[in-house]
Amino acid sequence: MTRDTRARGITMTSLDITAFEHPHNDQSTTHDADTTIHQLSQTDRGHRTPILQALSYEQTLQTLQQAPLILVREILNELKEAGYATQYTRLTVDLGLVTHRKDLKSNYLHTGVFEHVKSRLGWIVSLSLLGIFSGMIIASYEDALSALVILAIYMPVMADTGGNVGAQASTLLIQSMATGEITTRDWARVLWKEFRVSLIMAAALISIILIRVMGFGSDVDLPGDITLLQVAIAVSTAMAIQVISSSFLGAILPVFIRSLQLDPAVIVAPVLTSLVDMTGMLVYFFITTTMLNI
């Protein structure tokens, strides 16, 4: 159906046919997704559907899997507006932008409370169970906490810093992926850059923690021959490792989630929070107890 027909007010029906699945175009092995992405990005909005019509469904899916998220969403909206309901639904589900076809019809204000609970509860319960491991790690180091109470003071600092560092990295990565600056193939470059960034941040935080422990820990009772300087070095070392590991997690999770054809903007934040909390406690207690021999 032509654009002029639509302009005259005739309603376009959903094209539940084999659009984007032409047998003579079924050449997924030789399809150049990068060229198609460039062509789509250079084409004005509303005029991209004909480009996809020249591809098979597999080629279209392959192209959108590698395209920037912002471009993917624009193309999907154009397909929906053009009346390609079946293709829009199938692509949206196969790209992992929704977990179920019924989610395509959902609207925040018009969706019932129990529907929201149903769609979120699974993630919350799963991540809560994962959080139990953090409690188990702390419990396993109960003797160390009893012997050196000062370690408990810096547990929240360790968790908060790790979460903030990871959140910063993941937010930047998700934004860069949405604009097309970064794709899943750039994971090695991402990790190398985040490693260098995290080293500098860790060095700065080491100085801050050393000053904090030495300046405000003079009235803390220390067992045996453990000195305040030793505690400061152990805590700051654990903090440095936590910063580096959290930065790595925050950088790689969006890329990994995207490679699974899921939406990083929805999944990364809760998963990252749970992982950083668990790994942070493990790193903190292992490093401090090993260095202080308690």
Side-chain angles (χ1 to χ4, degrees):
M1 186 171 290
T2 65
R3 185 180 300 275
D4 292 339
T5 302
R6 294 182 63 204
R8 287 193 291 268
I10 298 177
T11 303
M12 178 180 287
T13 58
S14 299
L15 301 181
D16 297 341
I17 56 176
T18 57
F20 314 151
E21 297 181 0
H22 308 306
H24 62 279
N25 286 324
D26 192 10
Q27 301 175 352
S28 299
T29 57
T30 60
H31 171 58
D32 189 346
D34 290 335
T35 300
T36 306
I37 292 172
H38 178 74
Q39 186 179 6
L40 288 168
S41 63
Q42 297 300 314
T43 304
D44 294 336
R45 294 186 183 184
H47 300 280
R48 294 161 172 160
T49 301
I51 298 175
L52 299 181
Q53 286 179 312
L55 306 175
S56 68
Y57 178 81
E58 289 74 17
Q59 291 171 338
T60 301
L61 181 62
Q62 177 189 359
T63 298
L64 296 184
Q65 285 173 342
Q66 300 180 29
L69 288 176
I70 190 170
L71 179 61
V72 171
R73 295 186 185 280
E74 289 178 0
I75 292 173
L76 290 174
N77 287 335
E78 290 176 23
L79 289 176
K80 186 177 181 180
E81 292 171 0
Y84 291 93
T86 297
Q87 287 71 31
Y88 167 80
T89 301
R90 185 177 175 188
L91 284 169
T92 305
V93 173
D94 289 346
L95 287 169
L97 299 179
V98 296
T99 57
H100 196 278
R101 293 178 187 270
K102 68 179 182 180
D103 293 341
L104 294 168
K105 300 180 180 179
S106 66
N107 180 281
Y108 180 83
L109 294 177
H110 293 88
T111 301
V113 171
F114 289 104
E115 285 298 319
H116 277 293
V117 172
K118 185 177 179 181
S119 64
R120 302 181 191 182
L121 189 58
W123 279 105
I124 298 301
V125 171
S126 300
L127 295 174
S128 296
L129 293 176
L130 184 62
I132 294 176
F133 287 101
S134 297
M136 294 174 61
I137 293 171
I138 295 174
S140 65
Y141 287 97
E142 183 178 358
D143 292 340
L145 286 173
S146 299
L148 200 58
V149 179
I150 191 174
L151 293 180
I153 298 175
Y154 294 97
M155 287 171 54
V157 178
M158 186 69 56
D160 290 344
T161 302
N164 292 334
V165 170
Q168 283 183 335
S170 64
T171 300
L172 291 173
L173 263 295
I174 291 173
Q175 290 176 346
S176 297
M177 292 173 66
T179 59
E181 180 186 355
I182 293 174
T183 67
T184 55
R185 291 171 293 183
D186 296 320
W187 64 270
R189 294 174 59 195
V190 168
L191 288 183
W192 172 233
K193 186 163 191 174
E194 282 301 316
F195 175 69
R196 289 177 290 168
V197 171
S198 63
L199 279 180
I200 298 174
M201 295 174 62
L205 286 171
I206 283 177
S207 302
I208 294 173
I209 294 298
L210 280 171
I211 295 173
R212 174 66 178 83
V213 176
M214 295 298 295
F216 297 90
S218 58
D219 58 343
V220 176
D221 293 330
L222 299 176
D225 56 352
I226 296 177
T227 65
L228 190 60
L229 178 60
Q230 289 176 316
V231 174
I233 293 174
V235 172
S236 59
T237 301
M239 176 67 75
I241 295 175
Q242 168 73 334
V243 168
I244 296 172
S245 63
S246 298
S247 183
F248 264 55
L249 285 173
I252 201 61
L253 265 180
V255 179
F256 177 69
I257 294 298
R258 177 60 173 156
S259 70
L260 297 179
Q261 303 175 23
L262 299 175
D263 192 345
V266 176
I267 300 175
V268 168
V271 173
L272 179 64
T273 300
S274 297
L275 287 179
V276 167
D277 284 347
M278 183 175 65
T279 57
M281 289 300 98
L282 185 61
V283 166
Y284 179 58
F285 284 113
F286 177 78
I287 295 297
T288 53
T289 56
T290 300
M291 293 185 67
L292 298 174
N293 195 28
I294 55 175

